[in-house]
Structures are given as C-alpha cells and as structure tokens.
Amino acid sequence: MEWCVSMPKIELHAHLNGSIRDNTLLDLARALGDKGVIDFSQVEHVILKNDRSLSEVFKLFDLIHIVTTDHSSITRITKEVVEDFASENVVYLELRTTPKKNDSLGMSKRSYVDAVVEGLRAVSSVDVAFIPSSEEPTNLSSPLLSDASDKCNGNIRKKIFVRLLLSIDRRETTEAAMETVIFYAEVFWAKLSLFVTDLERYTHLLQVMLALEMRRFGVVGIDLSGNPAVGEWITYLPALIFARQQGLYVTLHCGEVSNSKEIHNMLDFLPQRIGHACFFEEEHWRRLKSSNIPVEICLTSNIRTLSVPTIDAHHFVDLYNARHPLVLCTDDSGVFSTSLSNEYNIAASTFGLGQNEMFELSKNSIEFIFGDNVVKEILRKTFDSAAKSLEL
Ligand code: 6MZ
C-alpha cells in the first residue's frame, strides 16, 4: 500500500460530492442539525454506514446534497478533496461535479462552479494548477514533484493539476442539461449583443469564445451520471452534442446497470471515455474494443454496489489482458471509503500486478486525460523522474 501511495497517479473519475471526508460530512450535518434543518441523530448512521446497494448510494447522495448545498460548503469540500488527492501523490485530477441551482440560497449553476473554483484557489498546502496551459509553467524540465525541493529541508511542495468536468444528472431535463453546458455563454451573449446585431452570423465566434471562457476555469469536459435506473440518456443528447461542438470532451456513465440498447447507442456516440462498463454484452465488448474508447474502472465502487459479482470476475482483467485503454479511479472515495492508492493496491493483490505493471498502468492514463498536450508532456516528465527515484 505504501508503494501505491508513493507512486504518481492520475485520477479521472471522481465525483466531488462523493469524495467528501466523513468528518466534514458529519460536521456539516451536525451544523444543519443545530439549525433544526435536519435531525442529526437520524442521518449520522446513514453517513457512517459502509455497505450500500446502488439505490442506497443515490439516497445517500440526496442527503449529501442537502448537507453541502451552499457556496461555502462547496468551496470547503473542493479544497479538502484536492488536498486529499494531492496527499496521496495524485498529480493530475479531473474532478467532476453537477452544477446545482438553488434559488432559495441564491445559487445558480454558474455560482456553484465559481464556488468550486474558489475551493481550488483556497488550497494552500499544495500548488494547484487549474488554469489553462498558456498560463501554466512551460518549463518542461521542472517536473511536478521537483527533485530540487528535496534539497530544501526535505520539504516537498507537491503540485497537482486539476481540471473540471461538469456533470449532467440523469434526473435533469434537457433544458437543465443544456444550461450546464451553456451557462457561461449567457454572459457572452449578453455582452456581445451590445455590439453585434446579426448574432446568427457570429455563431462560430461565440462558440469559440464560450469554449475559451470555460477553459479559463479549467472546465475540459462534460459527464453524464446520476442514478442509472432513472431517465433516458437520449434526453441529454442535444446538450452532449452541443458540448462536443464547443470542443469539450464527453465521458458517459455507461453500462452501470443492464440496458443493452442504451449501451449500444452510447457507444455509437463515440464518447472520449466511458465509466464502469459493468453490464456489457458480447456485442458491446466487440464495439468498445474496436473503437478503443478508454474505460474508467472503479473497482471498489462496483463491488460495493454489487455491479459486478466478485472482484475476481471484474472486467478489468479482460480489458487489461486485451491491452484496452483503461484507467483506475475511485468514483466516490468518501462514500466508498477508498483512495486511488487503495484501488491500485486492490488491483495488485487481486490481479497479481507487480510494481512495474502498476506504474505503467498509472503512466498510461496520461494518454486519456482531457487536459492538453502541454500538461501531458509535463506529466510524462513527472513519471519519468518518479521512475528513477522509485528505482524502476
Ligand atoms: C452514477 C454517480 C455515481 O456531482 O454532486 N454519481 N452517478 N453512478 C455512480 N456510481 C456509484 N457516483 C456519483 O457528486 C455526486 C453525484 O455524482 C453522481 C450522482 O449524480 C451524484 O448525485 P456531485 O458533486
């Protein structure tokens, strides 16, 4: 486990509200209990319960959302989640979250994302790079875990790249999903309409500006998630197509429950990545493999929610042996009491991966990030330098 912690890692499937520390969740719940908003004694055991079915997990998310839905708690949990990932040597994190609207709290989808960005800014224990590569250090010779800082009293100041994915919840309407993708655009439409009368002709310009505005906050993609037993993914297709037109990447929760037609159609869409892939049939595997879509694998989550019968039977093995692109992820480190190092440790002990294989698996994940080539190059250097210090 210690070795898994020491290795640099890439996390590409982590839900913000699923990654909250237990203590923070209890803290926030207690505070709401004191205000009389919830009955703390009723929720404490729900938060601390360990084994949950998939439907119980989504009930817990409803509770978590009551506890965390104000700007300051969103800022706090973002800060802590980034600190936690950085502390176990995650060097690149794609953090996903569902922008929420709550009129009674004065929260819009945009102000929700602003609160997340505020959380990224608030981290002081590690260097967080969440701005686009044009503003990131271009000195590729200085890797993230700088050897130089070793010589400074042995204090390594860690660095972590963070990019955001905005999630669409399967309970939302087409319009709400669209709002997640375009809320930054509203500002631009408003500003531009002051100068430009024939907006139709400037659609492409607007699209580029929207994509740039989003990137300014480190948003690189859109995720479709939420209770897989609810809703039809087709509801969100317009928003997903629009996102793609803006140059945003798309990842879909796919095959988390048995739904052959939906899996088939999702694969047809050719998302840049998919998550889970637990209930794939022969035909789906064939199509997945021929299209080479990388899979975000969440071992603990799949076991806890009974989405796979046993860990030995997990599709990780088949995909790994077939050299299909895959990346180990936590999904909800708080809800499932896990960490990325733990996921690697489980893969090592269950599937017999050695240190070199784990390191390769982790390093290969660089190729599936939604961050740009400058970031990828910096990460490759980071891994190369780590390989030397780990004597691989
Ligand atoms: C599908 C999941 C999920 O967005 O409020 N989420 N969706 N399958 C899963 N596997 C267990 N785990 C989490 O984070 C919590 C939200 O992420 C999605 C659900 O929509 C959940 O409400 P945010 O930060």
Side-chain angles (χ1 to χ4, degrees):
M1 181 66 181
E2 215 175 290
W3 196 89
C4 294
V5 174
S6 69
M7 173 181 79
K9 290 171 290 297
I10 306 244
E11 170 64 81
L12 300 184
H13 187 134
H15 298 271
L16 174 63
N17 277 287
S19 308
I20 309 174
R21 296 174 187 164
D22 270 355
N23 280 345
T24 299
L25 202 49
L26 287 171
D27 242 26
L28 295 171
R30 208 173 283 117
L32 278 194
D34 292 347
K35 284 187 199 156
V37 180
I38 56 169
D39 180 349
F40 181 67
S41 62
Q42 293 288 309
V43 303
E44 188 179 13
H45 72 280
V46 182
I47 292 173
L48 292 175
K49 191 175 173 209
N50 247 338
D51 278 328
R52 295 183 186 94
S53 67
L54 195 56
S55 62
E56 281 175 331
V57 163
F58 287 100
K59 281 194 197 126
L60 176 61
F61 280 127
D62 287 341
L63 173 63
I64 292 177
H65 289 147
I66 293 171
V67 172
T68 63
T69 307
D70 69 79
H71 294 104
S72 61
S73 36
I74 294 299
T75 298
R76 171 179 173 183
I77 61 174
T78 305
K79 174 179 178 283
E80 292 178 353
V81 166
V82 171
E83 284 171 349
D84 290 349
F85 277 114
S87 73
E88 55 155 340
N89 291 316
V90 170
V91 291
Y92 177 94
L93 162 67
E94 272 172 28
L95 189 59
R96 55 185 79 188
T97 192
T98 322
K100 295 166 190 77
K101 200 172 169 173
N102 186 336
D103 292 338
S104 65
L105 292 169
M107 179 183 279
S108 64
K109 290 197 173 200
R110 187 188 169 111
S111 73
Y112 179 96
V113 177
D114 286 342
V116 171
V117 171
E118 206 42 49
L120 301 181
R121 288 209 174 95
V123 178
S124 58
S125 55
V126 290
D127 284 344
V128 180
F130 66 93
I131 45 176
S133 60
S134 60
E135 293 165 56
E136 273 157 8
T138 46
N139 178 8
L140 302 187
S141 63
S142 56
L144 285 174
L145 302 169
S146 166
D147 295 336
S149 48
D150 247 341
K151 290 164 202 152
C152 178
N153 303 329
N155 286 330
I156 298 179
R157 188 169 168 80
K158 289 180 178 165
K159 276 199 173 185
I160 182 169
F161 283 97
V162 182
R163 293 292 180 268
L164 299 176
L165 306 183
L166 303 184
S167 300
I168 294 169
D169 186 322
R170 294 179 65 117
R171 286 178 299 191
E172 291 183 292
T173 60
T174 304
E175 290 70 32
M178 206 65 183
E179 212 184 316
T180 293
V181 179
I182 66 168
F183 66 96
Y184 281 107
E186 289 165 13
V187 183
F188 276 106
W189 280 98
K191 276 189 205 157
L192 249 120
S193 56
L194 296 176
F195 305 106
V196 181
T197 43
D198 188 2
L199 284 172
E200 281 288 301
R201 285 180 52 208
Y202 291 87
T203 306
H204 289 303
L205 173 65
L206 287 170
Q207 284 182 355
V208 171
M209 290 179 75
L210 164 60
L212 289 177
E213 170 74 348
M214 280 194 148
R215 293 220 173 83
R216 218 158 62 77
F217 292 92
V219 175
V220 288
I222 298 291
D223 153 59
L224 176 64
S225 52
N227 190 340
V230 171
E232 303 257 352
W233 91 289
I234 223 78
T235 311
Y236 313 106
L237 200 50
L240 297 171
I241 291 172
F242 183 75
R244 180 170 269 179
Q245 286 165 351
Q246 312 314 306
L248 291 169
Y249 294 97
V250 174
T251 176
L252 304 174
H253 280 59
C254 179
E256 209 178 355
V257 293
S258 171
N259 188 341
S260 186
K261 193 161 159 248
E262 179 175 282
I263 297 171
H264 180 99
N265 292 337
M266 281 183 166
L267 292 175
D268 260 356
F269 179 74
L270 291 178
Q272 272 81 21
R273 295 197 308 254
I274 59 163
H276 298 299
C278 300
F279 286 86
F280 272 34
E281 295 161 15
E282 262 325 299
E283 181 239 341
H284 304 134
W285 290 125
R286 244 191 335 270
R287 286 159 58 85
L288 177 81
K289 285 176 184 167
S290 68
S291 55
N292 238 23
I293 300 170
V295 183
E296 301 152 357
I297 298 274
C298 310
L299 296 170
T300 300
S301 163
N302 295 161
I303 292 297
R304 288 284 182 83
T305 57
L306 307 177
S307 306
V308 293
T310 61
I311 186 81
D312 314 296
H314 199 283
H315 44 288
F316 170 91
V317 186
D318 179 50
L319 292 174
Y320 184 80
N321 289 338
R323 299 192 162 272
H324 186 84
L326 56 87
V327 46
L328 286 183
C329 305
T330 52
D331 204 7
D332 300 292
S333 54
V335 169
F336 299 122
S337 309
T338 188
S339 65
L340 192 53
S341 309
N342 189 44
E343 296 302 301
Y344 274 90
N345 198 28
I346 292 172
S349 56
T350 314
F351 310 117
L353 304 191
Q355 293 182 348
N356 279 305
E357 287 153 322
M358 278 197 283
F359 190 86
E360 276 309 297
L361 185 60
S362 182
K363 186 180 173 188
N364 287 345
S365 315
I366 298 173
E367 308 314 317
F368 320 131
I369 69 169
F370 291 167
D372 61 31
N373 287 335
V374 175
V375 177
K376 283 184 180 169
E377 198 46 40
I378 296 174
L379 292 173
R380 287 189 198 107
K381 298 237 175 202
T382 303
F383 274 79
D384 289 347
S385 124
K388 278 188 205 132
S389 42
L390 292 167
E391 297 178 357
L392 289 172

